[in-house]
Amino acid sequence: MVSSALRAAVAVLAAGGVANAAYSIATTDDIKETAATIAWDLMQYYHGNESGQTPGILPGPPPAGDYYWWEGGAMWGTLIDYWHFTGDDSYNKLITDAMLWQVGPFENYMPPNVTASLGNDDQGFWGMSAMLAAENGFPDPPEDKPQWLALAQAVFNTQAAPDRHDDTCNGGLRWQIPWVNNGYNYKNSIANGCFFNIGARLARYTGNTTYSDWAEKTWDWMVNVKLMDDKYNIYDGGHVEHNCTDINRAQFSYNNGVFLLGAAYMYNFTNETRWLQRTEDLLDATLKIFFPGNVAYEVACEEHMSCTTDMLSFKGYMHRWLATVTQIVPVLSPKILPVLQKSTEAAIATCIGEANQRTCGFKWNTRTYDGSRGAGQQMNVLAAVSSLLIGQAKSPVTNGTGGTSKGDYNAGGQGDQFGVVHAPVTTGDKAGASILTILILAGAAGTFGWMSIDL
Ligand SMILES: *[C@@H]1O[C@H](CO)[C@@H](O)[C@H](O)[C@H]1NC(C)=O
Ligand SMILES: *[C@@H]1O[C@H](CO)[C@@H](O)[C@H](O)[C@H]1NC(C)=O
Ligand SMILES: *[C@@H]1O[C@H](CO)[C@@H](O)[C@H](O)[C@H]1NC(C)=O
Ligand SMILES: *[C@@H]1O[C@H](CO)[C@@H](O)[C@H](O)[C@H]1NC(C)=O
Ligand SMILES: *[C@@H]1O[C@H](CO)[C@@H](O)[C@H](O)[C@H]1NC(C)=O
Ligand SMILES: *[C@@H]1O[C@H](CO)[C@@H](O)[C@H](O)[C@H]1NC(C)=O
Ligand SMILES: *[C@@H]1O[C@H](CO)[C@@H](O)[C@H](O)[C@H]1NC(C)=O
């Protein structure tokens, strides 16, 4: 499919005119056409609906392909918003098939295939996409299948369960879920951010304060452990053996985005001034750090293009989450909407790459194709373009305002598959515990040895 916006741009080029963008976002129709073409190009990276392939995932995880499991979940969220903003339901069946295929045996987004790299954040991204489906009124799955709200609750319940919480660093979630994984000793912002975000949204959707109590507790933990400082900088994480004081100070846009959206939901749910203040302060910090010159910029890795495949997809979540903030905290719209507009103008200017002359790049502030292509890069621009329609889109619903998704307070609560034991380690136990760990890691190396996880 070639959009008319694209044809017009090609015509300008052919006529020798200066066209620095293949796409237009001048009108609602242009935005829809542009988004449709970018979505189609994004879906060229997906093969899960072809015979012999696994539904739900992008090619991977490494070394089998570039993409970790979570990014598929994030992509379905992007496409759920794409449908919500544009009304184009071409991919709805694909989305539903994918989201349901990956639920795992306990319907909590912990499929055994991905155990070796299963983090709370990975599970959380799938959970946030299920939550979004409920909030956007995305068509409910057949009754005999897991429902969107229940899936989000399942993710929340497994993450709120005692076996995911221990006293190291005074609380908080670890990055990895199975204790044999690399990164189990790391407590980080994105794992806790996803949990916070889902908690805030479940509270608003269901009206149940159990969820907001956890969100409140998670925010406080972030502040106390100094992963969020008093200037609203959010840092990546720290290790339990250092009581999380060895803070990795890298700042990534998805951390700010996930907490910002959660804080906005907390304000919408509680109507408390302090949540408005937190939302606004975090917004100000976020725009300052991640939108220099009003263009999305992945500050930790963009300058030297040291971004990993994961990091190459963060800008899109930021755009979508900022857009949603304008609906649930409308008083902040004047600060957000002009930035999203300018940033998106820069984004589409990169979409002039490769043989089709419309492949999108990553370095938006260059306003030209930078040679960096992939599902993340394409998904970022899709998110930015389709979110421009936020002003015409329905606000996220709740159970009381038109939401139809069925929940289950006990969903996902069958316990962890991993037999995680969190007995506090006393000095006397330490030697024994680490020997046990070494024995088990040695055994696990045979199973998981092919995996290597980069921080
Ligand atoms: C998979 O989905 C894409 C996008 O909708 C579609 O173009 C393609 O034909 C589908 N492939 C199969 C084998 O169904
Ligand atoms: C797990 O992997 C197998 C083998 O690749 C595949 O057939 C199956 O669909 C996968 N299950 C999920 C939930 O992805
Ligand atoms: C660990 O850090 C927390 C703050 O996150 C602090 O309250 C606690 O006292 C520290 N514990 C130790 C043993 O240093
Ligand atoms: C929210 O709080 C404001 C004052 O801060 C008040 O004017 C408004 O009525 C409250 N709205 C609701 C729904 O409670
Ligand atoms: C909460 O969100 C709704 C949209 O769903 C919006 O109309 C309302 O103004 C928001 N409440 C606050 C306090 O901003
Ligand atoms: C959600 O709404 C439905 C229909 O109005 C109602 O039956 C159900 O009890 C509500 N659930 C919750 C958790 O409030
Ligand atoms: C609120 O949610 C919690 C946690 O899922 C659940 O145990 C409790 O029954 C719910 N409360 C109500 C009033 O539904």
Side-chain angles (χ1 to χ4, degrees):
M1 186 192 73
V2 178
S3 74
S4 65
L6 176 62
R7 263 185 267 115
V10 170
V12 171
L13 277 172
V18 179
N20 61 358
Y23 290 126
S24 167
I25 50 171
T27 66
T28 297
D29 284 347
D30 284 0
I31 292 170
K32 287 187 183 175
E33 283 199 41
T34 295
T37 309
I38 298 173
W40 194 86
D41 285 351
L42 168 62
M43 294 317 288
Q44 302 315 299
Y45 290 92
Y46 181 64
H47 301 288
N49 61 336
E50 294 164 13
S51 84
Q53 302 282 331
T54 303
I57 60 171
L58 285 162
D66 285 346
Y67 303 96
Y68 282 104
W69 175 69
W70 75 277
E71 196 163 339
M75 181 174 79
W76 305 119
T78 305
L79 287 164
I80 289 168
D81 265 347
Y82 168 73
W83 161 78
H84 182 62
F85 293 139
T86 65
D88 178 4
D89 62 5
S90 315
Y91 305 110
N92 283 14
K93 185 177 180 306
L94 226 52
I95 296 168
T96 302
D97 290 350
M99 292 281 297
L100 294 180
W101 189 266
Q102 290 296 328
V103 297
F106 299 108
E107 302 181 353
N108 57 8
Y109 287 119
M110 296 173 61
N113 284 358
V114 300
T115 303
S117 63
L118 184 61
N120 282 296
D121 51 347
D122 304 64
Q123 186 195 21
F125 263 88
W126 285 89
M128 291 190 289
S129 292
M131 189 70 229
L132 181 68
E135 292 165 340
N136 277 355
F138 191 73
D140 291 318
E143 270 178 31
D144 61 338
K145 292 283 186 337
Q147 302 297 306
W148 306 131
L149 178 61
L151 285 165
Q153 287 171 312
V155 169
F156 178 90
N157 288 343
T158 56
Q159 299 195 346
D163 56 9
R164 297 265 172 111
H165 293 265
D166 59 60
D167 293 336
T168 58
C169 310
N170 240 4
L173 285 172
R174 290 167 184 257
W175 175 31
Q176 291 295 305
I177 301 170
W179 65 279
V180 292
N181 284 9
N182 283 332
Y184 182 70
N185 60 340
Y186 193 61
K187 292 198 172 179
N188 62 354
S189 294
I190 192 61
N192 288 280
C194 293
F195 181 54
F196 169 75
N197 180 294
I198 294 174
R201 293 162 72 173
L202 283 173
R204 177 177 177 274
Y205 193 99
T206 63
N208 185 322
T209 54
T210 303
Y211 301 120
S212 47
D213 290 347
W214 268 108
E216 187 90 42
K217 194 169 151 176
T218 302
W219 179 281
D220 290 347
W221 178 78
M222 285 287 296
V223 170
N224 290 336
V225 78
K226 298 192 169 61
L227 284 178
M228 189 187 317
D229 72 14
D230 56 5
K231 299 208 164 50
Y232 290 83
N233 292 301
I234 301 180
Y235 304 113
D236 196 65
H239 292 90
V240 298
E241 57 273 27
H242 298 289
N243 196 27
C244 295
T245 56
D246 63 330
I247 291 177
N248 172 350
R249 297 175 76 86
Q251 290 180 267
F252 293 104
S253 61
Y254 73 159
N255 284 325
N256 283 61
V258 84
F259 277 100
L260 180 58
L261 182 64
Y265 271 98
M266 284 299 280
Y267 173 57
N268 195 276
F269 177 58
T270 63
N271 200 32
E272 288 173 14
T273 319
R274 70 198 175 98
W275 278 111
L276 178 59
Q277 192 65 53
R278 287 168 172 181
T279 308
E280 184 157 19
D281 289 347
L282 182 51
L283 171 64
D284 291 343
T286 299
L287 294 179
K288 194 165 144 232
I289 299 165
F290 295 102
F291 288 86
N294 293 322
V295 178
Y297 184 73
E298 197 58 52
V299 66
C301 63
E302 184 162 338
E303 187 182 356
H304 302 292
M305 277 308 279
S306 53
C307 303
T308 62
T309 301
D310 287 353
M311 297 168 195
L312 291 169
S313 72
F314 295 170
K315 289 179 186 182
Y317 318 131
M318 178 61 100
H319 264 255
R320 285 169 46 226
W321 293 339
L322 280 170
T324 303
V325 171
T326 68
Q327 291 186 312
I328 54 174
V329 188
V331 67
L332 297 178
S333 300
K335 274 190 182 173
I336 297 173
L337 292 176
V339 178
L340 294 184
Q341 176 70 31
K342 292 208 177 69
S343 184
T344 308
E345 284 165 7
I348 58 166
T350 71
C351 302
I352 53 172
E354 306 293 331
N356 67 10
Q357 297 187 332
R358 62 173 198 230
T359 296
C360 301
F362 180 68
K363 285 167 89 73
W364 293 1
N365 66 6
T366 65
R367 293 178 171 77
T368 188
Y369 183 62
D370 61 330
S372 172
R373 67 188 288 272
Q377 293 87 321
Q378 210 62 34
M379 181 157 69
N380 288 339
V381 185
L382 174 62
V385 170
S386 53
S387 297
L388 293 177
L389 299 172
I390 192 77
Q392 306 158 39
K394 199 171 169 201
S395 295
V397 297
T398 68
N399 190 55
T401 60
T404 57
S405 191
K406 286 207 178 60
D408 173 3
Y409 278 120
N410 300 313
Q414 287 85 350
D416 270 340
Q417 291 109 285
F418 306 112
V420 183
V421 178
H422 285 306
V425 180
T426 67
T427 320
D429 288 341
K430 260 184 190 156
S434 63
I435 287 165
L436 183 67
T437 306
I438 289 160
L439 286 176
I440 290 174
L441 280 176
T447 316
F448 301 127
W450 54 272
M451 270 286 315
S452 83
I453 296 173
D454 290 328
L455 265 186

